[in-house]
Amino acid sequence: MAVVLGTRPEIVKLAGVVRGLGERARVVYTGQHYDESLSGAFFRGLRLPPPYTRLAGVGGAARGRQIGTMISALSELFSADPPAAVIVQGDTNTTSAGAQAAHYQGVPVVHVEAGLRSRDRAMPEETNRQVVGVLADVHCAPTGSAAANLRAEGVPEQRIRITGNTIVEAVAESLPGRAQSLAMLRRYGVDPDRYVLATIHRPENTDEPARLRRILTELADLGLPVLFPIHPRTRSCAEAQGLGGLLDRLRVVEPIDHASFLGLALHTRLLVSDSGGVQEECTVLKKPLIVVRNSTERPEAVDAGFATLLRPGPELGRLARALIADTSLTGRLAARPSPFGDGRASERIVEIALGLADRQADATRTGRPLPVPGPKPRAVVTVP
């Protein structure tokens, strides 16, 4: 069974699935995140085996070339050695290419984190999500809202499974202990609950000079130290746009692994990010988050009161200072459940994938077409 991944979030969110599949998992790494600090450390930190296959010529390429290269290489791979099923996750270029290549070779597709929608066609990931939504044979929706999106698009009920989101167990497994995380804070020279943790990397924020300047300016004026693990894209854009002086006013650090980020996030006063994964992680860590984006495909975090969606500008600074000053916020968030499930999503997805693979093997052996997945089982996770 092929597990196709190529970015940090995919490695993190599919780690439990890969481990659950054991020897039946063939990890195919596309190299979409080609920087060693963005990928290699994640494989090692999550105790994953080296990829069965690595693609070349993908990282750093333009989007169209990236997807085309991956589809071509993956199609050849799946043709020469067909897997029983292909598992893809989320909404990256890798996800789209993996699903397309599998479909073209007649291999069933399992889409993990299916059904997210932002309704924003300017967001490249939205196109990827919709492409995979057409091709997937089984849609593992993380929440009831995501499942409802799929039904509204005409996906048959029997192809939808509500599994929860694998980020819940990923956070629980990767979160360092208190002593380890406090030692990390000392290394960065910050005190618990007295700093802001920020990440910015999306093209809508980095590629427009005025917008990136507004974000960095507001962060620099918050009155608390701002730890800023910097993405290579953000560093490159900031330097090209002459924003090095604003970076100097932040605590810029090199990219960090998932466990280190979680350790820092656990003790921060406030999170500011444009990441999709952080919108989920904040609900597990019970931390407030300002989402610096035009739109979000994860309204559950906003609806549950953990996140606020905001475009960059003076309101970013005003809201951040208000959240920092709200002394009762920590207690209120601690009492709220995460909307993303109970931490057993990977277990459910492994069961679904193995069942699909067994049906595929049966169909191949008997010459009968692969049946559509059977009726949805009883509810196993409470989601809105």
Side-chain angles (χ1 to χ4, degrees), residues 8 27 30 42 60 81 94 110 118 126 148 210 213 227 253 283-284 289 291 298 316 355 357 359 362 368:
R8 285 186 297 173
V27 175
T30 68
F42 279 67
D81 187 10
T94 291
V110 177
S118 68
E126 182 72 0
R213 179 183 294 276
L227 284 182
V253 300
T283 73
V284 183
L289 166 68
V291 183
R298 293 169 173 86
L316 169 59
R359 290 193 297 275
D362 244 12
R368 295 194 301 269

Short mmCIF file of all heavy atoms in Angstrom, two decimals, residues 8 27 30 42 60 81 94 110 118 126 148 210 213 227 253 283-284 289 291 298 316 355 357 359 362 368:
data_model
loop_
_atom_site.label_atom_id
_atom_site.label_comp_id
_atom_site.label_asym_id
_atom_site.label_seq_id
_atom_site.Cartn_x
_atom_site.Cartn_y
_atom_site.Cartn_z
N ARG A 8 6.07 18.70 5.23
CA ARG A 8 6.10 18.49 6.68
C ARG A 8 4.75 18.10 7.27
O ARG A 8 4.66 17.14 8.03
CB ARG A 8 6.61 19.76 7.38
CG ARG A 8 8.08 20.00 7.25
CD ARG A 8 8.51 21.18 8.08
NE ARG A 8 7.89 22.42 7.64
CZ ARG A 8 7.99 23.58 8.27
NH1 ARG A 8 8.66 23.66 9.39
NH2 ARG A 8 7.41 24.67 7.79
N VAL A 27 6.22 3.94 1.74
CA VAL A 27 6.22 5.40 1.78
C VAL A 27 6.90 5.95 0.53
O VAL A 27 8.05 5.61 0.23
CB VAL A 27 6.94 5.92 3.03
CG1 VAL A 27 7.04 7.45 2.99
CG2 VAL A 27 6.21 5.47 4.30
N THR A 30 7.79 12.57 -2.28
CA THR A 30 7.94 13.32 -3.52
C THR A 30 9.02 14.39 -3.45
O THR A 30 9.47 14.88 -4.48
CB THR A 30 6.62 14.01 -3.90
OG1 THR A 30 6.33 15.05 -2.96
CG2 THR A 30 5.47 13.01 -3.99
N PHE A 42 11.94 15.54 10.24
CA PHE A 42 10.61 15.07 10.62
C PHE A 42 10.52 13.55 10.51
O PHE A 42 9.92 12.89 11.36
CB PHE A 42 9.55 15.74 9.75
CG PHE A 42 9.20 17.13 10.21
CD1 PHE A 42 10.13 18.16 10.15
CD2 PHE A 42 7.96 17.41 10.73
CE1 PHE A 42 9.83 19.43 10.58
CE2 PHE A 42 7.64 18.69 11.17
CZ PHE A 42 8.58 19.70 11.10
N GLY A 60 11.14 22.95 -5.24
CA GLY A 60 11.55 24.23 -5.77
C GLY A 60 11.00 24.57 -7.14
O GLY A 60 11.16 25.70 -7.60
N ASP A 81 4.66 -1.30 -10.49
CA ASP A 81 4.47 -2.07 -9.25
C ASP A 81 3.20 -1.57 -8.57
O ASP A 81 3.26 -0.81 -7.60
CB ASP A 81 5.69 -1.88 -8.35
CG ASP A 81 5.67 -2.79 -7.13
OD1 ASP A 81 4.81 -3.69 -7.07
OD2 ASP A 81 6.51 -2.58 -6.23
N THR A 94 1.44 17.50 -3.82
CA THR A 94 1.70 16.07 -3.72
C THR A 94 0.40 15.29 -3.62
O THR A 94 0.23 14.24 -4.26
CB THR A 94 2.58 15.79 -2.48
OG1 THR A 94 3.89 16.31 -2.71
CG2 THR A 94 2.68 14.30 -2.19
N VAL A 110 -7.42 6.62 -1.16
CA VAL A 110 -7.96 6.98 0.16
C VAL A 110 -7.47 8.38 0.47
O VAL A 110 -6.26 8.64 0.51
CB VAL A 110 -7.46 6.00 1.25
CG1 VAL A 110 -7.98 6.45 2.63
CG2 VAL A 110 -7.91 4.58 0.95
N SER A 118 -12.49 26.05 1.52
CA SER A 118 -12.41 27.47 1.88
C SER A 118 -13.31 28.33 1.02
O SER A 118 -13.56 29.49 1.35
CB SER A 118 -10.96 27.96 1.72
OG SER A 118 -10.60 27.98 0.34
N GLU A 126 -7.10 24.97 -2.44
CA GLU A 126 -8.52 24.70 -2.67
C GLU A 126 -8.72 23.90 -3.94
O GLU A 126 -9.54 22.97 -3.99
CB GLU A 126 -9.31 26.02 -2.74
CG GLU A 126 -10.80 25.85 -2.93
CD GLU A 126 -11.53 25.31 -1.70
OE1 GLU A 126 -10.85 25.06 -0.66
OE2 GLU A 126 -12.75 25.14 -1.76
N ALA A 148 -20.17 17.08 5.49
CA ALA A 148 -21.30 17.79 4.88
C ALA A 148 -20.88 18.47 3.57
O ALA A 148 -21.66 18.52 2.61
CB ALA A 148 -21.85 18.82 5.86
N ALA A 210 4.00 44.73 0.62
CA ALA A 210 3.27 45.57 1.58
C ALA A 210 2.62 44.71 2.65
O ALA A 210 2.56 45.08 3.83
CB ALA A 210 2.21 46.40 0.85
N ARG A 213 5.28 43.32 5.06
CA ARG A 213 5.74 44.43 5.91
C ARG A 213 4.73 44.70 7.03
O ARG A 213 5.11 44.90 8.19
CB ARG A 213 5.96 45.69 5.07
CG ARG A 213 6.41 46.89 5.89
CD ARG A 213 6.55 48.15 5.03
NE ARG A 213 7.61 47.99 4.05
CZ ARG A 213 8.90 48.23 4.31
NH1 ARG A 213 9.26 48.66 5.52
NH2 ARG A 213 9.80 48.07 3.37
N LEU A 227 8.91 34.87 19.11
CA LEU A 227 9.72 33.81 18.51
C LEU A 227 9.18 33.54 17.11
O LEU A 227 7.99 33.34 16.93
CB LEU A 227 9.65 32.53 19.35
CG LEU A 227 10.46 32.49 20.64
CD1 LEU A 227 10.30 31.12 21.31
CD2 LEU A 227 11.93 32.77 20.37
N VAL A 253 14.40 32.43 14.53
CA VAL A 253 15.14 31.18 14.73
C VAL A 253 14.99 30.33 13.47
O VAL A 253 14.07 30.53 12.67
CB VAL A 253 14.64 30.41 15.97
CG1 VAL A 253 14.82 31.27 17.22
CG2 VAL A 253 13.18 30.00 15.83
N THR A 283 -6.21 23.84 19.06
CA THR A 283 -7.39 23.31 19.76
C THR A 283 -7.02 22.15 20.68
O THR A 283 -7.77 21.85 21.61
CB THR A 283 -8.46 22.84 18.75
OG1 THR A 283 -8.05 21.62 18.12
CG2 THR A 283 -8.74 23.89 17.70
N VAL A 284 -5.90 21.49 20.41
CA VAL A 284 -5.43 20.41 21.27
C VAL A 284 -4.61 20.98 22.42
O VAL A 284 -4.71 20.55 23.57
CB VAL A 284 -4.59 19.40 20.46
CG1 VAL A 284 -4.14 18.23 21.35
CG2 VAL A 284 -5.37 18.87 19.27
N LEU A 289 -5.19 31.59 18.91
CA LEU A 289 -4.48 31.72 17.65
C LEU A 289 -5.12 32.83 16.81
O LEU A 289 -6.34 32.89 16.68
CB LEU A 289 -4.55 30.39 16.87
CG LEU A 289 -4.15 30.44 15.39
CD1 LEU A 289 -2.66 30.73 15.22
CD2 LEU A 289 -4.53 29.12 14.71
N VAL A 291 -5.23 33.74 12.99
CA VAL A 291 -4.96 33.17 11.67
C VAL A 291 -4.84 34.33 10.68
O VAL A 291 -5.82 35.01 10.39
CB VAL A 291 -6.09 32.22 11.22
CG1 VAL A 291 -5.74 31.58 9.88
CG2 VAL A 291 -6.34 31.15 12.28
N ARG A 298 -10.71 25.61 7.70
CA ARG A 298 -10.89 24.97 9.00
C ARG A 298 -11.73 25.87 9.91
O ARG A 298 -11.25 26.35 10.94
CB ARG A 298 -9.53 24.67 9.64
CG ARG A 298 -8.74 23.60 8.87
CD ARG A 298 -7.31 23.53 9.38
NE ARG A 298 -6.58 22.43 8.81
CZ ARG A 298 -5.93 22.47 7.64
NH1 ARG A 298 -5.96 23.58 6.92
NH2 ARG A 298 -5.28 21.41 7.19
N LEU A 316 -4.56 43.44 13.49
CA LEU A 316 -3.76 42.32 13.96
C LEU A 316 -3.09 42.67 15.29
O LEU A 316 -3.17 41.90 16.26
CB LEU A 316 -2.70 41.95 12.90
CG LEU A 316 -1.61 40.97 13.32
CD1 LEU A 316 -2.20 39.64 13.78
CD2 LEU A 316 -0.63 40.74 12.16
N GLY A 355 -9.11 -2.55 4.71
CA GLY A 355 -10.34 -3.13 4.17
C GLY A 355 -10.47 -2.89 2.68
O GLY A 355 -10.85 -3.78 1.91
N ALA A 357 -7.96 -2.34 0.59
CA ALA A 357 -6.93 -3.13 -0.08
C ALA A 357 -7.35 -4.59 -0.20
O ALA A 357 -7.12 -5.24 -1.23
CB ALA A 357 -5.62 -3.03 0.69
N ARG A 359 -10.42 -5.71 -0.38
CA ARG A 359 -11.46 -5.81 -1.41
C ARG A 359 -10.84 -5.70 -2.81
O ARG A 359 -11.28 -6.37 -3.75
CB ARG A 359 -12.51 -4.71 -1.21
CG ARG A 359 -13.38 -4.93 0.03
CD ARG A 359 -14.60 -4.01 0.02
NE ARG A 359 -14.24 -2.60 0.07
CZ ARG A 359 -14.01 -1.94 1.20
NH1 ARG A 359 -14.06 -2.57 2.36
NH2 ARG A 359 -13.71 -0.65 1.17
N ASP A 362 -9.33 -9.00 -3.63
CA ASP A 362 -10.43 -9.92 -3.95
C ASP A 362 -10.91 -9.70 -5.39
O ASP A 362 -11.11 -10.66 -6.14
CB ASP A 362 -11.60 -9.67 -3.01
CG ASP A 362 -11.88 -10.86 -2.14
OD1 ASP A 362 -11.06 -11.77 -2.12
OD2 ASP A 362 -12.94 -10.84 -1.49
N ARG A 368 -13.85 -9.60 -10.69
CA ARG A 368 -15.03 -8.76 -10.52
C ARG A 368 -14.61 -7.33 -10.21
O ARG A 368 -13.55 -7.10 -9.63
CB ARG A 368 -15.91 -9.27 -9.37
CG ARG A 368 -16.51 -10.65 -9.62
CD ARG A 368 -17.62 -10.92 -8.60
NE ARG A 368 -17.13 -10.88 -7.24
CZ ARG A 368 -16.67 -11.95 -6.59
NH1 ARG A 368 -16.64 -13.14 -7.19
NH2 ARG A 368 -16.23 -11.84 -5.36
#
